[in-house]
Amino acid sequence: MPFSLGQAGVFLLALVTVFVAGRIWFALVEMVKDAVLRRISRRKPEAWHPLPPEGEEEP
């Protein structure tokens, strides 16, 4: 039984909704985590992907 265009649209809308909700959830969890770390620790939290300082070039 093939899907109708309406069913495919509803499925895509559900996927987009799950994706957007996941992105919002991730942002909220990161904000809370950073706020807790700022209260607990005086030093700035380190990034998980440290980049070289600006102005330095790799050989």
Side-chain angles (χ1 to χ4, degrees):
M1 171 189 292
F3 290 108
S4 70
L5 192 57
Q7 289 175 332
V10 168
F11 180 71
L12 288 176
L13 182 63
L15 286 178
V16 168
T17 303
V18 168
F19 176 76
V20 170
R23 297 282 299 202
I24 291 171
W25 177 255
F26 180 78
L28 287 173
V29 168
E30 285 293 312
M31 283 191 319
V32 169
K33 178 191 68 105
D34 290 342
V36 168
L37 285 177
R38 276 195 308 267
R39 294 225 182 243
I40 292 174
S41 176
R42 295 281 183 203
R43 63 188 188 120
K44 183 179 175 184
E46 296 178 16
W48 62 272
H49 53 78
L51 298 174
E54 290 185 23
E56 281 188 23
E57 294 183 15
E58 293 187 23

